[in-house]
Amino acid sequence: MSTEQIPALRLENIVKTFPGVRALDGVSFTVMPGEVHALMGENGAGKSTLMKVLGGIHQPNEGQIFIEEQPTVMNSPLDAKAKGVVFIHQELSLADELPVAENVYLGELPRKSFGRVDWSKLHADTDEILKRLNVGFGPKDLVGDLSIANKQMVEIARALTVDAKAVIFDEPTASLTDAEKSVLFEVIEDLKSRGVGIVYISHRMEEIFRISDRVSVLRDGQYRGTLETADTNEDEVTQLMIGRSLDLSRNVQHGELGAVALEVRNLSCGNLYQDISFQVREGEVVGFYGLVGAGRTEIAETLFGLRDPTAGTILLDGKETTIHSPIDAIGAGISLVPEDRKGQGLVLGMNCRDNMTLPQVDDMTAGPFVSDGAEVAIFDQYRDKLEIKTPGWKQLVGNLSGGNQQKIVIGKWLSMHPRVLIVDEPTRGIDVGSKSEIHKLIRELAGQGYAVIVISSEMPEVLHVSDRIIAMFHGRITRTFTSDEVTEDNLVQAISGITPEQGAA
Ligand SMILES: Nc1ncnc2c1ncn2[C@@H]1O[C@H](COP(=O)(O)OP(=O)(O)OP(=O)(O)O)[C@@H](O)[C@H]1O
Ligand SMILES: [Mg+2]
């Protein structure tokens, strides 16, 4: 017998078409046991589709799947799981109304005789997996009550219920804190050491270079090549992905600042955040930086009327304003591009145009009547501006790639021409090329006189787009930096609750 290892899985010449789209055009891809194989490519390149073919969600038009060199057909996700391929989705696919344990073992609850569910085993098994993941919730907690990050952990817990040959992670870290990310990477290391093959999809280069052994790149549904991570660099990968290099240097054009558009004085909301005061001027981009859970999203939600503050005042153009609902906020000229696009930003079963142009609040239909043609024109304008990849406006948003869905949300809020635009994690799931386009767009909007708030967990992003950066720690503002005085070091200190004196000591 040969001592050569055989691949954990192999995809050969996979073709997958959708109406108007050739999503995969003859892609081959191999994962060895114990390897972390990163899959990269622009938004819409075909990464998720390739993995959905592997995971039994889509049947390929052509091509063959091999598990340990045995030709295999994946009839359904549960079938794929039974054959050792576990898929952790980019778009969460959990049942909100069910507890954690039922979600972890969805479709395969442990049974006793007469088919009765073995609840004590279910809870004990789930508890063991949750312990391994070091999470702060239990088997009986309702999934709908969990944060997005914790939902992501439930999704990951699902993968650990079987003896997998291969585990696919499709942008798993998008909403995880640094601590949760470290746990995830430990889980991946552990799977690796047990000989499991890992497919890891992410747009975050630093993660790719931290955990992968090889990187394969797709472009427009075609295979572009495979690189050994140790022998390559970000520039080479970017070249392969988008066909050009990117200049990511810090060269933000700061324009003239106008009057104060938004002012917040001593705003508090229970134990979520306290005593928040800041101003945003016309033409200014203010970045909010902090760890996940520092209170940034909650402030944004308050300004958009989704949460009532317990104390403090909000002033727009110098006038005190009360905001109790999104309708109030939109009326006052505040828009929010939410962090959770699936929950708050998009109707997946509706087409691209309607998602972008329909006001997101039901009772806002009283506004001026917009003709179909005008709506298409609005859609076309933002599709071009944001380079949204779709065969046409009639496409259902649920069929777009994850990154392109995010662009639809951004387009929707821009098309309302707000005075104050709040964007929460604007480039989550967006590829490197489009990311720099969206950063440019944010600066352009400021240049046109918008007051912009950018909430981001990515330091390069806040550094790149902001005129000023507000650092938060545990619900409080710890420091405000101008773009001249900010450094990576003092920013890290400010969001960790270290005062400059302590830091220097
Ligand atoms: N069910 C579907 N119906 C129609 N088109 C689809 C469907 N699923 C995917 N597509 C299209 O196939 C192409 C590839 O999409 P895919 O989701 O695989 O991209 P991706 O590489 O995962 O991108 P991202 O980085 O944005 O997640 C896109 O043009 C997308 O719109
Ligand atoms: Mg995808």
Side-chain angles (χ1 to χ4, degrees):
M1 255 180 66
S2 147
T3 53
E4 281 282 289
Q5 264 190 328
I6 58 166
L9 60 90
R10 190 158 69 80
L11 295 162
E12 197 175 272
N13 277 316
I14 303 289
V15 173
K16 178 67 193 171
T17 60
F18 298 108
V21 186
R22 197 170 175 82
L24 297 172
D25 191 10
V27 175
S28 299
F29 182 72
T30 302
V31 182
M32 300 305 290
E35 148 178 80
V36 177
H37 198 143
L39 186 57
M40 296 197 77
E42 286 179 286
N43 296 128
K47 305 176 296 292
S48 294
T49 305
L50 187 67
M51 292 304 116
K52 285 177 185 169
V53 165
L54 178 60
I57 296 162
H58 293 319
Q59 292 307 316
N61 301 80
E62 290 172 37
Q64 181 71 61
I65 299 169
F66 299 86
I67 302 288
E68 294 177 337
E69 292 306 68
Q70 297 298 312
T72 309
V73 174
M74 302 297 196
N75 293 306
S76 69
L78 278 181
D79 183 38
K81 200 171 173 185
K83 288 167 177 159
V85 175
V86 182
F87 191 168
I88 293 161
H89 289 267
Q90 175 175 22
E91 303 301 333
L92 300 171
S93 58
L94 301 170
D96 273 352
E97 64 284 359
L98 292 179
V100 169
E102 279 89 323
N103 267 283
V104 170
Y105 285 93
L106 198 70
E108 41 193 6
L109 298 176
R111 304 277 172 179
K112 294 196 284 203
S113 52
F114 305 113
R116 276 176 302 154
V117 174
D118 187 344
W119 294 106
S120 50
K121 179 168 167 53
L122 174 69
H123 290 134
D125 289 357
T126 306
D127 202 44
E128 201 182 308
I129 293 173
L130 295 181
K131 286 221 178 75
R132 213 168 130 193
L133 291 175
N134 209 3
V135 294
F137 56 87
K140 294 181 187 171
D141 289 337
L142 210 59
V143 162
D145 294 338
L146 301 179
S147 68
I148 328 184
N150 281 334
K151 287 182 184 179
Q152 189 87 56
M153 296 310 269
V154 174
E155 192 93 28
I156 291 165
R158 256 187 194 176
L160 304 179
T161 60
V162 287
D163 225 357
K165 294 196 172 59
V167 179
I168 303 158
F169 292 90
D170 196 350
E171 296 195 39
T173 58
S175 46
L176 299 188
T177 63
D178 285 341
E180 289 161 334
K181 238 183 262 181
S182 306
V183 174
L184 173 70
F185 291 161
E186 278 167 29
V187 169
I188 290 178
E189 281 300 324
D190 178 48
L191 290 169
K192 216 179 131 156
S193 67
R194 298 173 192 216
V196 177
I198 312 275
V199 182
Y200 192 85
I201 301 178
S202 173
H203 291 292
R204 298 192 173 157
M205 290 284 187
E206 77 278 5
E207 292 177 6
I208 300 296
F209 280 87
R210 178 161 157 199
I211 64 164
S212 76
D213 300 298
R214 291 194 292 167
V215 186
S216 284
V217 174
L218 296 184
R219 187 159 168 215
D220 289 331
Q222 291 178 342
Y223 171 75
R224 280 297 154 141
T226 300
L227 303 163
E228 296 282 338
T229 310
D231 303 336
T232 185
N233 54 47
E234 291 193 17
D235 197 48
E236 196 177 17
V237 175
T238 305
Q239 282 271 3
L240 209 55
M241 277 174 63
I242 67 177
R244 64 192 154 93
S245 294
L246 282 175
D247 178 14
L248 293 175
S249 54
R250 251 177 96 182
N251 53 356
V252 168
Q253 288 293 319
H254 297 281
E256 290 287 301
L257 298 188
V260 173
L262 171 73
E263 180 172 1
V264 166
R265 287 188 195 151
N266 311 105
L267 203 67
S268 296
C269 185
N271 55 7
L272 294 172
Y273 59 80
Q274 295 84 37
D275 203 20
I276 302 297
S277 300
F278 64 90
Q279 299 181 333
V280 189
R281 293 174 171 274
E282 290 169 349
E284 187 177 37
V285 179
V286 173
F288 272 74
Y289 187 64
L291 300 173
V292 178
R296 301 163 304 157
T297 295
E298 289 76 10
I299 293 173
E301 288 173 351
T302 306
L303 293 174
F304 194 59
L306 293 167
R307 273 176 205 283
D308 278 338
T310 45
T313 21
I314 299 169
L315 297 95
L316 278 158
D317 299 318
K319 278 206 299 284
E320 203 173 317
T321 312
T322 43
I323 300 171
H324 290 302
S325 68
I327 301 175
D328 293 347
I330 292 163
I334 300 178
S335 279
L336 169 68
V337 178
E339 170 183 36
D340 173 11
R341 61 176 174 258
K342 202 170 168 188
Q344 298 170 19
L346 290 175
V347 185
L348 297 179
M350 211 156 80
N351 72 41
C352 292
R353 180 201 66 185
D354 293 347
N355 262 289
M356 198 181 281
T357 58
L358 276 188
Q360 74 309 327
V361 186
D362 294 342
D363 7 10
M364 278 214 33
T365 42
F369 180 73
V370 190
S371 72
D372 260 21
E375 289 189 350
V376 174
I378 292 172
F379 173 74
D380 284 348
Q381 183 192 344
Y382 288 99
R383 181 201 52 207
D384 294 348
K385 229 186 168 110
L386 298 168
E387 297 180 32
I388 297 170
K389 197 175 160 194
T390 161
W393 64 261
K394 292 181 179 157
Q395 181 68 271
L396 299 184
V397 159
N399 289 342
L400 296 191
S401 78
N404 283 297
Q405 291 182 4
Q406 172 74 352
K407 294 183 188 180
I408 297 264
V409 182
I410 295 176
K412 168 167 123 177
W413 293 108
L414 290 182
S415 69
M416 298 180 77
H417 299 291
R419 297 252 302 118
V420 178
L421 178 70
I422 308 169
V423 287
D424 196 352
E425 304 290 355
T427 60
R428 166 181 299 166
I430 301 268
D431 68 57
V432 279
S434 305
K435 209 176 214 174
S436 67
E437 292 305 314
I438 287 177
H439 292 163
K440 240 191 263 164
L441 187 79
I442 288 172
R443 289 309 317 179
E444 269 171 40
L445 292 169
Q448 292 162 18
Y450 287 71
V452 186
I453 294 175
V454 175
I455 299 173
S456 177
S457 304
E458 286 189 49
M459 190 187 284
E461 179 157 283
V462 267
L463 289 174
H464 194 73
V465 300
S466 312
D467 296 295
R468 276 189 306 133
I469 298 175
I470 293 176
M472 287 192 66
F473 172 69
H474 277 219
R476 291 184 183 270
I477 293 177
T478 48
R479 233 186 122 174
T480 301
F481 299 93
T482 63
S483 60
D484 298 329
E485 62 193 10
V486 69
T487 65
E488 295 192 8
D489 282 347
N490 56 27
L491 199 50
V492 167
Q493 289 184 0
I495 65 154
S496 323
I498 302 172
T499 60
E501 300 75 50
Q502 282 173 314

